[in-house]
Amino acid sequence: EMVTKLAIIWMHGLGDSGASWKSLQADMGDIGVPIKWQFPDAPVAAVACNDGYKMPSWFNIEEIPLTPGAKDYPADIEVSVKRIHGIIADLEKEGYISREIVLGGFSQGGAMALQAALRYPQRLGGAVCCSGWLMMQDSLASWSRTENKDIPIFWGHGERDQVVEYALQQVGTLALQAHGVGSVTDKSYRGMQHSTSETETADMRTFIKSLIL
């Protein structure tokens, strides 16, 4: 089926809000088809890495910096995945086919985008993970859906990230490759810390454009 429009659901990082990412709409500019953006807010919850302080969070995080082998919270992940899948279902009711829907996010939101995309029972358009990580990778084969086995994934990460360690990009992409999951475009950015950059946004734009061809 021809992709004539896109819907992008973008998930913010820990303690942030959807509104703070709205500038992405302008940064992405005109890619040839209309884009409907959605920036949901994570629920407010106690977070272990911040001494149980309550803040917007998609799932619990034990400690920061996040390093390979970080603890996962499967029950939290499942609740937030259900919520994102509900947003996808609403878009489908509005007339978007699943291939016109892209999930993306930054940091905790990037980790969420990978989970929600790979667990969705119909093939989505793509997933974008900026400075995120792949959770529950040891059980990837049991929770990822075959429908999204070949989903295009963009994964960007700063080489000087001290919040979500840069090593997590390689660990995650290798785990995906080992299971034959996703068609990954991975980009790393010299000197970039836990943030995004104009170069990364341009790379992301190229990736999103490639989804409509």
Side-chain angles (χ1 to χ4, degrees), residues 144-170:
S144 62
R145 301 281 303 224
T146 54
E147 291 89 342
N148 277 293
K149 222 172 166 48
D150 66 341
I151 187 176
I153 297 170
F154 174 84
W155 192 328
H157 216 111
E159 292 182 8
R160 294 181 57 196
D161 194 327
Q162 291 168 344
V163 178
V164 177
E165 281 190 358
Y166 171 51
L168 281 159
Q169 182 189 38
Q170 195 181 15

Side-chain angles (χ1 to χ4, degrees), residues 129-141:
C129 175
C130 294
S131 310
W133 67 102
L134 177 65
M135 299 182 288
M136 298 178 65
Q137 58 188 45
D138 295 342
S139 56
L140 181 64

